[in-house]
Amino acid sequence: MSTFRRRLFHELEPSHREGGLSRLNRFIVLVILVSVVFVVVESEPAIHASHPTLFHAVEVLFGVLFLLEYVARVWVAAEDPRYSDGLRGRLRYAMTPSALLDLLAVTPLFLHVFGAEAYVIRIMRVVRVLRLAKLGRFTIATRALSQAVHARRYELMISFGVALFILVLTSTLMYIVEGHSQPEIFGSIPRSMWWAIATLTTVGYGDAVPLTVAGRILGGITAVTGVGLIAMPAGILAAAMSDAIHTRRAAEHKEALEQAHRQSAKAAPHVPEPAEGERDG
């Protein structure tokens, strides 16, 4: 039993594997994604009304699978030295954020039985994919992104500060220009901020539109400014990501060369040194 538990532990816990996700965890990821797809489809009243029994049965099936997975993870937690002291260790594991996230995936089973709506919790199951994908290329990409943000944090702070300044400035100018003609939309600076946000982000909902000539000119200038405002942090992050990827590849290339050098040194035949008499001859 201990051998089976150890094998199951290495299958379930991605942090104790070097080869990425196991087949079992890949199956769990697939089940999570399929369950989220069913939740999205079920939210359509016409589809749900035509197959209510099917959706109920599928949700119960998913809940049972996640419940079995949660029980298995609590059971194999004793293989981790941090939680190896019997029941207390398992209770400590059950209170960790990752275990609570796993438990959250099980709760819709009981909420669904009692007829409660649990769409938000069921959709949150997709977050568990990030927990299961701790290793491999997902981790490398996440680390590269975090390094890029950290390396360019001051530039990003400046760009956000500039964005906030332009937001307040355009809201104030639009309040001055359009406040008297459209007081319900531009009657104050906070009201004008909704229009400024929609325009600077190039969304342009159209629910707040300037009517005066000066207001339209200001709106055009704000829209053009918004294009550059969005491009500025995007360019900063793109450059930082490129630097992080190049640094990572250079490190991997250097490590591969060093490993090849060590292997070639080991594989080289050992030539014994000649004896003293042979050297004199």
Side-chain angles (χ1 to χ4, degrees):
M1 183 63 69
S2 61
T3 303
F4 172 74
R5 188 177 68 182
R6 190 177 304 110
R7 291 179 58 186
L8 185 59
F9 173 74
H10 286 284
E11 288 288 318
L12 286 175
E13 287 299 326
S15 58
H16 290 76
R17 289 177 56 88
E18 297 182 356
L21 290 179
S22 64
R23 292 183 178 179
L24 181 56
N25 274 335
R26 290 178 183 177
F27 172 74
I28 294 173
V29 169
L30 179 62
V31 172
I32 293 173
L33 297 178
V34 173
S35 68
V36 172
V37 170
F38 265 88
V39 173
V40 174
V41 175
E42 185 183 0
S43 64
E44 175 58 44
I47 299 178
H48 181 268
S50 59
H51 303 89
T53 306
L54 173 63
F55 284 105
H56 178 74
V58 169
E59 179 57 32
V60 171
L61 174 62
F62 286 141
V64 171
L65 289 176
F66 291 133
L67 179 61
L68 292 176
E69 180 208 358
Y70 176 76
V71 173
R73 289 186 183 276
V74 174
W75 180 55
V76 303
E79 295 295 327
D80 193 327
R82 297 172 297 176
Y83 314 111
S84 58
D85 53 339
L87 180 59
R88 290 184 177 179
R90 288 188 172 92
L91 289 176
R92 287 202 310 274
Y93 169 78
M95 297 305 297
T96 59
S98 58
L100 293 175
L101 182 61
D102 295 335
L103 181 62
L104 185 65
V106 181
T107 53
L109 172 64
F110 306 101
L111 295 176
H112 196 276
V113 169
F114 291 110
E117 298 292 334
Y119 285 106
V120 175
I121 299 178
R122 290 157 67 188
I123 288 292
M124 287 295 293
R125 287 172 178 168
V126 76
V127 180
R128 299 188 62 239
V129 175
L130 301 179
R131 156 169 148 69
L132 295 176
K134 288 181 179 178
L135 302 180
R137 299 189 179 274
F138 294 103
T139 303
I140 295 175
T142 304
R143 189 181 299 117
L145 180 59
S146 62
Q147 291 175 353
V149 174
H150 184 267
R152 297 292 189 273
R153 61 188 182 278
Y154 297 114
E155 292 88 340
L156 290 173
M157 290 174 60
I158 292 174
S159 65
F160 289 139
V162 171
L164 182 61
F165 170 74
I166 295 177
L167 172 65
V168 176
L169 178 62
T170 54
S171 302
T172 304
L173 293 177
M174 189 58 69
Y175 161 67
I176 296 173
V177 173
E178 289 281 336
H180 63 282
S181 59
Q182 299 187 75
E184 69 282 356
I185 299 177
F186 301 103
S188 65
I189 295 177
R191 293 184 185 182
S192 301
M193 281 186 178
W194 169 249
W195 169 87
I197 292 173
T199 306
L200 287 172
T201 56
T202 68
V203 175
Y205 289 111
D207 56 342
V209 181
L211 300 179
T212 63
V213 176
R216 292 184 177 182
I217 294 175
L218 177 60
I221 296 174
T222 304
V224 173
T225 305
V227 175
L229 197 63
I230 297 298
M232 183 166 53
I236 294 173
L237 283 177
M241 281 290 293
S242 178
D243 293 342
I245 292 173
H246 283 304
T247 303
R248 176 69 183 181
R249 289 179 178 175
E252 291 177 351
H253 181 66
K254 181 179 179 181
E255 184 180 355
L257 290 178
E258 292 177 352
Q259 185 176 2
H261 179 70
R262 289 193 297 267
Q263 291 178 353
S264 62
K266 291 180 180 179
H270 176 69
V271 179
E273 294 183 0
E276 184 177 354
E278 296 176 353
R279 289 199 299 267
D280 295 340

